[in-house]
Amino acid sequence: MDPMVSLRGVSKVFDGPSGPVRAVDDVTLDVARGEVFGVIGYSGAGKSTLVRLINALEQPTAGEVVVDGTRLSGRPEREVRRARAGIGFIFQQFNLWRSRTVAGNIAYPLRVAGWPKQDREVRVAELLDFVGLADKARQYPEQLSGGQKQRVGIARALATSPSLLLADEATSALDPETTKDVLDLLARVNRELGVTIVVITHEMSVVSYLCDRVAVMESGRVVEVGDVYDLFSRPQAPVTRRFIGTALHDRPRPDVVLRLRDRHPGRLVTVGVQDAAGHAPLTDAFRAHGVAGNVVFGGITEVGARALGSLTFELTGADDDVAALLADLRSWTDVTEYDADGAPVTVGEGVGVAAGVAR
Ligand SMILES: Nc1ncnc2c1ncn2[C@@H]1O[C@H](COP(=O)(O)OP(=O)(O)OP(=O)(O)O)[C@@H](O)[C@H]1O
Ligand SMILES: [Mg+2]
């Protein structure tokens, strides 16, 4: 891999009021050139500190940060500033200058970089066009909606043609519809301009909509990293499972299972639905084993344009047929069965548990 960002054993320790705070703890990570990379974690996980280390707004306590082939850690400020010019940054609160027009905001980094007025005007017009705000050039930020403000933020970040764009909770202040528009714009920035993007978020939906790969952070550490679909369909860390649960609401909580139990006395199972190669559709498996399944709960969403979620069935069929069906399903997905009290039944070893990571 030819990394755009390379972190090696990076830690950042702050002096907190009650002792040292290890905000980022021994993180080793590569972001490939041209990808959209997500960093997801709950509040305080260390996400913002991690991006501030990537653009050298913070210096690491230990380890090495390399961006686009340039080592940023332990360099003189002048060199760091030059490297930072190749990195764009967008913020949750947009951080626009209220006293400057939209065009003035976008032109600002060009002014700092010493562009002549005429070139600035051409570049600003181009950027306004790209983000769909050509008619707003002379307006002031307070006359714009949140989504429009973030478009200005994106145009400003792209002004000097950075090869890397860092987005720290860039859509967290926006409603779902506007969030989707801004994410679509970021996807275009990646696809049409070839800009590598690192997206910091606490929302699984942002990751599944936009990112190629994702790192999950908890207490300063990267606990899991990988292809978005692989990671969300086979989560290993409990914190990853929590994110998926909050996004999908597909798995019945224990109190829901109890209510389902009351209404459905037959065998209750939750089956993971995923886009894994080489298996028959769920309905075919039910038919092949002569088992009927009544859907009583569930949810399926799209992650990276592939289906992911689960369905909970009440099964009707002969015991042997049901056993054969469940063994069949367990060979490629996760299956959770509930006992008479609604508690998950532990599956004996060797029944395909390796393939089914319950979550
Ligand atoms: N300048 C600082 N001084 C002291 N402690 C800090 C500083 N910056 C961050 N921290 C601490 O480091 C930890 C990680 O903070 P960080 O802002 O990176 O988390 P985050 O994942 O971005 O959280 P959020 O989702 O709330 O933005 C927190 O415990 C925070 O209090
Ligand atoms: Mg943060």
Side-chain angles (χ1 to χ4, degrees), residues 14-17 21-24 41-50 58 92 168-169 200 202:
F14 291 111
D15 292 323
V21 179
R22 198 166 272 277
V24 169
Y42 288 106
S43 187
K47 308 178 298 292
S48 293
T49 307
L50 190 79
E58 299 282 1
Q92 179 173 357
D168 190 355
E169 302 282 6
I200 303 298
H202 62 271

Side-chain angles (χ1 to χ4, degrees), residues 337 344-348:
E337 178 160 19
V345 178
T346 317
V347 183

Side-chain angles (χ1 to χ4, degrees), residues 43-308:
S43 187
K47 308 178 298 292
S48 293
T49 307
L50 190 79
V51 279
R52 291 170 62 81
L53 287 162
I54 294 174
N55 70 355
L57 287 173
E58 299 282 1
Q59 285 296 318
T61 311
E64 193 174 78
V65 179
V66 177
V67 176
D68 206 1
T70 305
R71 187 166 59 85
L72 291 186
S73 27
R75 281 297 169 89
E77 180 59 25
R78 185 171 41 85
E79 283 178 41
V80 169
R81 220 177 300 136
R82 192 177 319 131
R84 210 182 279 141
I87 306 175
F89 208 104
I90 54 174
F91 310 85
Q92 179 173 357
Q93 298 305 332
F94 323 122
N95 295 22
L96 302 178
W97 280 280
R98 302 180 49 178
S99 58
R100 291 178 199 267
T101 62
V102 166
N105 267 279
I106 300 171
Y108 186 80
L110 300 172
R111 219 183 244 280
V112 171
W115 285 44
K117 185 164 189 286
Q118 216 167 3
D119 295 353
R120 288 202 306 260
E121 281 171 4
V122 172
R123 180 69 179 143
V124 168
E126 209 172 83
L127 288 158
L128 280 170
D129 207 40
F130 184 80
V131 302
L133 292 177
D135 56 333
K136 304 281 188 223
R138 311 192 74 78
Q139 307 227 310
Y140 286 87
E142 63 196 19
Q143 298 171 290
L144 304 180
S145 71
Q148 289 168 336
K149 282 182 201 160
Q150 195 55 291
R151 283 168 184 276
V152 176
I154 292 169
R156 183 181 58 182
L158 294 175
T160 54
S161 305
S163 44
L164 173 65
L165 180 65
L166 306 174
D168 190 355
E169 302 282 6
T171 56
S172 300
L174 306 175
D175 64 59
E177 199 62 24
T178 314
T179 290
K180 189 182 160 300
D181 291 343
V182 170
L183 296 181
D184 285 338
L185 175 58
L186 289 175
R188 274 182 57 219
V189 168
N190 172 251
R191 212 174 42 238
E192 294 174 24
L193 308 178
V195 176
T196 305
I197 304 181
V198 176
V199 177
I200 303 298
T201 185
H202 62 271
E203 290 171 294
M204 151 106 178
S205 57
V206 169
V207 172
S208 54
Y209 194 73
L210 187 65
C211 299
D212 303 310
R213 292 196 309 138
V214 61
V216 182
M217 279 191 86
E218 188 179 34
S219 310
R221 295 184 153 262
V222 168
V223 294
E224 212 167 341
V225 57
D227 168 89
V228 169
Y229 193 85
D230 292 349
L231 199 133
F232 286 140
S233 57
R234 293 263 186 278
Q236 303 296 318
V239 61
T240 312
R241 291 187 197 134
R242 273 172 69 199
F243 273 115
I244 297 166
T246 55
L248 285 179
H249 304 290
D250 62 319
R251 308 228 159 208
R253 293 186 319 258
D255 57 313
V256 176
V257 174
L258 275 179
R259 284 198 297 278
L260 291 173
R261 253 281 154 261
D262 280 347
R263 299 201 298 274
H264 305 286
R267 294 183 70 169
L268 266 188
V269 295
T270 297
V271 180
V273 174
Q274 46 190 278
D275 209 337
H279 66 80
L282 269 184
T283 45
D284 288 8
F286 278 82
R287 195 177 314 115
H289 291 284
V291 176
N294 174 27
V295 177
V296 296
F297 199 87
I300 298 171
T301 191
E302 254 193 333
V303 175
R306 293 161 76 187
L308 183 65

